[in-house]
Amino acid sequence: DGEFVSAAEANQFDQDAPAVDKLSMTLVKYTKRTLISKELLQDTGINILSHIQYRVGLGWGKTINSLLVAEAETGTQYKRGGSTTAIADGEIEDVVYNSSLAPYLDSPNLAFVMQPPTFGVIRKISANARVYGPSGGEFSGQLGQRTLLEYPVHFTGKADAIAARAKSVLFGAWENMLYREGPSLEFLYDPYTRGDYGQDRLLWFMRWDFELANALAVGYFEHDLT
């Protein structure tokens, strides 16, 4: 990615050799087990298995979010805030327009990740509503409608809440966040192991890993220490 170098006539061209390296991604197995009695299966008026699958899906999503946030927090500190309990006017601009992130500001995947209360705090610090998304869009559920400084905002409860040393706002070019998973979320329905208890076992497991390919491309706003 170096600049071109001038060369006199008949001189050899400059060789540009960008640095490359290998990144190891180790899959880690995550599991969940549910026990369900024969009576519950037979006597419940709703489709209890569908409900369990729905709840397992929520747990799957929360696990993914937790791993993503943990890896993003290994990135670059874009801004150290001046408070343990608040975000000051202008500090979010310092997150976006910092020198570390400058090479990635044309990325189509730039976005914020934070908790909903954190977004509420940020909205209160500026009366200039044009930096936020379309009126009413913040809670419409439409991707891209909830924005901050014209970039999408995604919510997760796994991001840090505002507190001393908390990394409450994540931002970056997310194509640099690598994601590897096992072949599928595997499921085993086992009516035998707990048969003498009148219970069926439902077993799920999946293997995941997140790795940040470039530590400068994704980073965070961190609150003051004290």
Side-chain angles (χ1 to χ4, degrees), residues 55-99:
R55 301 301 300 184
V56 168
L58 290 179
W60 179 88
K62 290 193 293 183
T63 304
I64 289 290
N65 285 351
S66 180
L67 296 172
L68 173 67
V69 167
E71 184 61 21
E73 289 182 346
T74 68
T76 301
Q77 182 195 89
Y78 291 152
K79 175 66 177 179
R80 165 78 74 184
S83 171
T84 61
T85 59
I87 298 174
D89 198 4
E91 287 184 331
I92 297 302
E93 284 81 354
D94 290 340
V95 169
V96 174
Y97 305 112
N98 72 88
S99 58

Side-chain angles (χ1 to χ4, degrees), residues 69-80 87 113-115 118 158-171 219-224:
V69 167
E71 184 61 21
E73 289 182 346
T74 68
T76 301
Q77 182 195 89
Y78 291 152
K79 175 66 177 179
R80 165 78 74 184
I87 298 174
V113 174
M114 65 185 74
Q115 288 197 21
T118 303
K158 296 301 181 180
D160 290 349
I162 294 175
R165 304 198 71 169
K167 301 170 182 178
S168 63
V169 177
L170 305 174
F171 182 74
Y220 51 85
F221 170 89
E222 186 172 12
H223 291 268
D224 198 9

Side-chain angles (χ1 to χ4, degrees), residues 69-150:
V69 167
E71 184 61 21
E73 289 182 346
T74 68
T76 301
Q77 182 195 89
Y78 291 152
K79 175 66 177 179
R80 165 78 74 184
S83 171
T84 61
T85 59
I87 298 174
D89 198 4
E91 287 184 331
I92 297 302
E93 284 81 354
D94 290 340
V95 169
V96 174
Y97 305 112
N98 72 88
S99 58
S100 296
L101 190 57
Y104 307 98
L105 285 179
D106 288 328
S107 166
N109 298 305
L110 285 165
F112 289 95
V113 174
M114 65 185 74
Q115 288 197 21
T118 303
F119 185 65
V121 167
I122 295 170
R123 290 215 55 173
K124 294 175 183 177
I125 64 177
S126 175
N128 190 355
R130 71 178 177 81
V131 301
Y132 303 108
S135 177
E138 296 81 8
F139 306 103
S140 67
Q142 299 176 14
L143 183 62
Q145 289 295 304
R146 185 192 305 115
T147 61
L148 175 61
L149 298 177
E150 301 180 357

Side-chain angles (χ1 to χ4, degrees), residues 138-213:
E138 296 81 8
F139 306 103
S140 67
Q142 299 176 14
L143 183 62
Q145 289 295 304
R146 185 192 305 115
T147 61
L148 175 61
L149 298 177
E150 301 180 357
Y151 295 107
V153 178
H154 302 285
F155 287 161
T156 175
K158 296 301 181 180
D160 290 349
I162 294 175
R165 304 198 71 169
K167 301 170 182 178
S168 63
V169 177
L170 305 174
F171 182 74
W174 293 94
E175 71 272 16
N176 292 276
M177 181 65 74
L178 306 183
Y179 170 50
R180 183 185 177 198
E181 62 179 338
S184 64
L185 175 63
E186 298 195 34
F187 170 67
L188 174 64
Y189 191 100
D190 174 15
Y192 305 111
T193 303
R194 297 279 297 184
D196 57 339
Y197 289 85
Q199 293 177 317
D200 294 346
R201 292 200 317 163
L202 286 69
L203 308 173
W204 291 267
F205 81 88
M206 183 62 185
R207 297 192 300 156
W208 295 293
D209 187 35
F210 282 93
E211 292 288 342
L212 187 54

Side-chain angles (χ1 to χ4, degrees), residues 4 22 24 32 53-54 87 93 96 108 119 134 154 168 226:
F4 279 58
K22 293 186 293 185
S24 297
K32 180 180 284 290
Q53 290 169 356
Y54 169 73
I87 298 174
E93 284 81 354
V96 174
F119 185 65
H154 302 285
S168 63
T226 57

